[in-house]
Amino acid sequence: MADRDDTAAAGDLGPVTTLATPIRLDFEFTPGVAQSRFLRGLERGRFIGQRCPKCGMVYVPSRGSCPTDGVPTTEDVELANVGTVTTYCVVNVPFAGQSIEIPYICAQVLLDGANISFMGLIQEIPADQIRMGMRVEAVWVDPDRLTPSLASVRYFRPNGEPDADYESFKEYL
Amino acid sequence: MPESEALHASHRLEYPYARSVGPVIGAFLTGLRDGRLLGVRGSGGSVIVPPTEYDPDTGDDTGEVVEVGPGGVVESWAWVPDPLPKHPSDRPFAWALIRLDGADTALLHAVDSGGPDRLATGDRVTVRFRPAAERIGSMADIEAFVPEGGAA
Ligand SMILES: [Zn+2]
């Protein structure tokens, strides 16, 4: 066989025991008009949600309609840069591709003025000091690095306010 | 672009899996890395390529490793006029079932014939490996099969 001569060296490598089989999906994402408004808000360092005209709930990011009432949400609402940790988990497990040093905190943050929480990274606090009700503020990337992406929010950190009363966020757990 | 217009972005989701290949497929992949095509003898005496750990007819352990090829016969094929990024060739090629000399089953791989009018069921083809330094123990170590007696 043609390649026989150059295979002697390859034979010293030992048997093949594993095979890399990466699974990859390349896709195009169109977030829609409502989420695009949220993303454009991030590009300006602002959290933009939308209010339901029927029940008054404020969703962030908004999907463009109220899941309870099924009506379009047309009124944009700018939310505060501060919020409350409703729940959290501390990540202690290393995994391939991890970009943050463990242990770190993933929390659900309920922004002031919103009626739904979203997930954020909590930093500038030891992982064992996180607690439900903690008041936090968003820390953004430098203005010239803002993009229409959640990567514009570096993380949330404690803002020093007293903890929120459990009654104030128990509906959002 | 007006602010009401929706955004659009390209995304990639990827998981870096690695799998253990076991002794039989491991031998096959080691053979590819070394520039050899290997099958395994089933309990009824037939030669299975690519090899399996168990005989698909009887469920018995398969036996000795057998070298096959490097030539074979195209049993069936489908032409790919517009290869996708993941395909083994960036120019048009055929996916083909190839029964290698000495084998009783067919192997699926690419045939680089130069055009669908230059390939027919029953044609003889031969393996074209990647250069030894590029081979890692993968089906992609086979660049393609080409018509015997000269590529297109
Ligand atoms: Zn509503």
Side-chain angles (χ1 to χ4, degrees):
Chain A
M1 178 180 315
D3 278 335
R4 269 302 163 72
D5 286 348
D6 57 21
T7 59
D12 299 336
L13 296 173
V16 174
T17 57
T18 59
L19 183 65
T21 56
I23 305 291
R24 181 184 303 157
L25 179 65
D26 291 300
F27 60 99
E28 301 297 314
F29 178 63
T30 302
V33 171
Q35 273 202 84
S36 292
R37 295 176 88 85
F38 170 74
L39 293 167
R40 289 188 196 289
L42 296 176
E43 199 171 20
R44 302 194 313 271
R46 302 270 187 276
F47 293 115
I48 305 296
Q50 287 194 317
R51 190 191 317 277
C52 172
K54 201 165 171 187
C55 67
M57 292 286 188
V58 173
Y59 301 106
V60 59
S62 173
R63 307 285 177 181
S65 64
C66 176
T68 304
D69 298 300
V71 297
T73 48
T74 50
E75 181 195 348
D76 288 358
V77 179
E78 182 173 333
L79 297 150
N81 198 52
V82 297
T84 300
V85 170
T86 58
T87 66
Y88 63 88
C89 84
V90 178
V91 178
N92 289 289
V93 181
F95 54 85
Q98 198 164 45
S99 57
I100 308 159
E101 197 177 323
I102 57 171
Y104 63 86
I105 306 157
C106 265
Q108 287 295 129
V109 176
L110 180 66
L111 293 174
D112 291 1
N115 295 100
I116 194 166
S117 61
F118 64 85
M119 194 162 76
L121 174 70
I122 311 288
Q123 299 267 270
E124 297 191 28
I125 179 180
D128 60 359
Q129 290 180 28
I130 185 71
R131 53 195 182 269
M132 294 168 72
M134 179 174 279
R135 297 283 290 159
V136 292
E137 64 186 5
V139 178
W140 300 78
V141 298
D142 291 337
D144 61 335
R145 299 187 59 199
L146 288 166
T147 59
S149 152
L150 270 172
S152 291
V153 182
R154 289 178 63 202
Y155 53 81
F156 289 83
R157 68 183 171 201
N159 72 346
E161 287 178 35
D163 285 6
D165 181 28
Y166 177 68
E167 294 296 315
S168 71
F169 63 85
K170 69 173 185 181
E171 299 298 325
Y172 300 101
L173 297 177
Chain B
M1 170 156 82
E3 208 210 12
S4 62
E5 224 171 273
L7 290 162
H8 188 78
S10 298
H11 285 251
R12 169 172 292 176
L13 181 67
E14 188 172 41
Y15 298 98
Y17 289 117
R19 49 181 298 197
S20 303
V21 292
V24 175
I25 292 169
F28 174 70
L29 295 175
T30 303
L32 293 180
R33 191 193 63 195
D34 295 347
R36 304 162 69 206
L37 295 167
L38 302 178
V40 72
R41 198 173 298 284
S43 56
S46 64
V47 174
I48 302 158
V49 185
T52 56
E53 293 191 25
Y54 303 99
D55 187 306
D57 292 328
T58 64
D60 293 336
D61 287 357
T62 47
E64 61 170 332
V65 171
V66 180
E67 183 159 359
V68 295
V73 175
V74 172
E75 291 197 332
S76 68
W77 55 282
W79 192 251
V80 181
D82 299 304
L84 299 171
K86 281 182 170 180
H87 279 159
S89 169
D90 56 9
R91 59 178 181 148
F93 70 99
W95 283 121
L97 283 170
I98 300 152
R99 187 162 44 78
L100 293 161
D101 296 342
D104 296 287
T105 64
L107 171 90
L108 179 71
H109 216 289
V111 173
D112 180 12
S113 70
D117 53 342
R118 298 161 97 159
L119 186 62
T121 298
D123 277 2
R124 287 200 53 84
V125 291
T126 192
V127 68
R128 183 172 75 206
F129 280 107
R130 292 185 186 286
E134 295 176 16
R135 295 199 297 260
I136 56 170
S138 151
M139 280 303 265
D141 291 349
I142 300 174
E143 202 163 62
F145 286 79
V146 293
E148 211 167 68

PDB file of all heavy atoms in Angstrom, chain B residues 15 37 86 136 142:
ATOM      1  N   TYR B  15     -20.660  21.230  22.098  1.00  0.00           N
ATOM      2  CA  TYR B  15     -20.282  20.379  23.229  1.00  0.00           C
ATOM      3  C   TYR B  15     -19.051  19.567  22.848  1.00  0.00           C
ATOM      4  O   TYR B  15     -19.066  18.867  21.839  1.00  0.00           O
ATOM      5  CB  TYR B  15     -21.421  19.418  23.593  1.00  0.00           C
ATOM      6  CG  TYR B  15     -22.671  20.122  24.032  1.00  0.00           C
ATOM      7  CD1 TYR B  15     -23.712  20.326  23.136  1.00  0.00           C
ATOM      8  CD2 TYR B  15     -22.804  20.604  25.326  1.00  0.00           C
ATOM      9  CE1 TYR B  15     -24.870  20.991  23.524  1.00  0.00           C
ATOM     10  CE2 TYR B  15     -23.945  21.263  25.716  1.00  0.00           C
ATOM     11  CZ  TYR B  15     -24.975  21.452  24.817  1.00  0.00           C
ATOM     12  OH  TYR B  15     -26.103  22.113  25.200  1.00  0.00           O
ATOM     13  N   LEU B  37      -6.597  -0.458   6.431  1.00  0.00           N
ATOM     14  CA  LEU B  37      -8.029  -0.675   6.598  1.00  0.00           C
ATOM     15  C   LEU B  37      -8.225  -2.041   7.254  1.00  0.00           C
ATOM     16  O   LEU B  37      -7.785  -3.055   6.719  1.00  0.00           O
ATOM     17  CB  LEU B  37      -8.736  -0.633   5.240  1.00  0.00           C
ATOM     18  CG  LEU B  37      -8.674   0.730   4.536  1.00  0.00           C
ATOM     19  CD1 LEU B  37      -9.119   0.606   3.075  1.00  0.00           C
ATOM     20  CD2 LEU B  37      -9.560   1.741   5.260  1.00  0.00           C
ATOM     21  N   LYS B  86     -19.654  20.623   7.075  1.00  0.00           N
ATOM     22  CA  LYS B  86     -19.213  19.446   7.818  1.00  0.00           C
ATOM     23  C   LYS B  86     -18.840  18.276   6.915  1.00  0.00           C
ATOM     24  O   LYS B  86     -18.357  17.262   7.393  1.00  0.00           O
ATOM     25  CB  LYS B  86     -20.335  18.971   8.743  1.00  0.00           C
ATOM     26  CG  LYS B  86     -20.452  19.769  10.013  1.00  0.00           C
ATOM     27  CD  LYS B  86     -21.562  19.168  10.850  1.00  0.00           C
ATOM     28  CE  LYS B  86     -21.588  19.754  12.228  1.00  0.00           C
ATOM     29  NZ  LYS B  86     -22.660  19.161  13.028  1.00  0.00           N
ATOM     30  N   ILE B 136      -5.107  11.030  12.795  1.00  0.00           N
ATOM     31  CA  ILE B 136      -5.251  11.032  14.253  1.00  0.00           C
ATOM     32  C   ILE B 136      -5.997   9.808  14.783  1.00  0.00           C
ATOM     33  O   ILE B 136      -6.160   9.651  15.992  1.00  0.00           O
ATOM     34  CB  ILE B 136      -5.998  12.300  14.716  1.00  0.00           C
ATOM     35  CG1 ILE B 136      -7.360  12.412  14.014  1.00  0.00           C
ATOM     36  CG2 ILE B 136      -5.158  13.548  14.445  1.00  0.00           C
ATOM     37  CD1 ILE B 136      -8.250  13.486  14.586  1.00  0.00           C
ATOM     38  N   ILE B 142      -9.294   8.980   6.313  1.00  0.00           N
ATOM     39  CA  ILE B 142      -9.533   8.667   4.902  1.00  0.00           C
ATOM     40  C   ILE B 142     -10.039   9.954   4.264  1.00  0.00           C
ATOM     41  O   ILE B 142     -11.093  10.465   4.643  1.00  0.00           O
ATOM     42  CB  ILE B 142     -10.591   7.558   4.721  1.00  0.00           C
ATOM     43  CG1 ILE B 142     -10.134   6.272   5.406  1.00  0.00           C
ATOM     44  CG2 ILE B 142     -10.885   7.333   3.237  1.00  0.00           C
ATOM     45  CD1 ILE B 142     -11.204   5.174   5.397  1.00  0.00           C
TER      46      ILE B 142
END
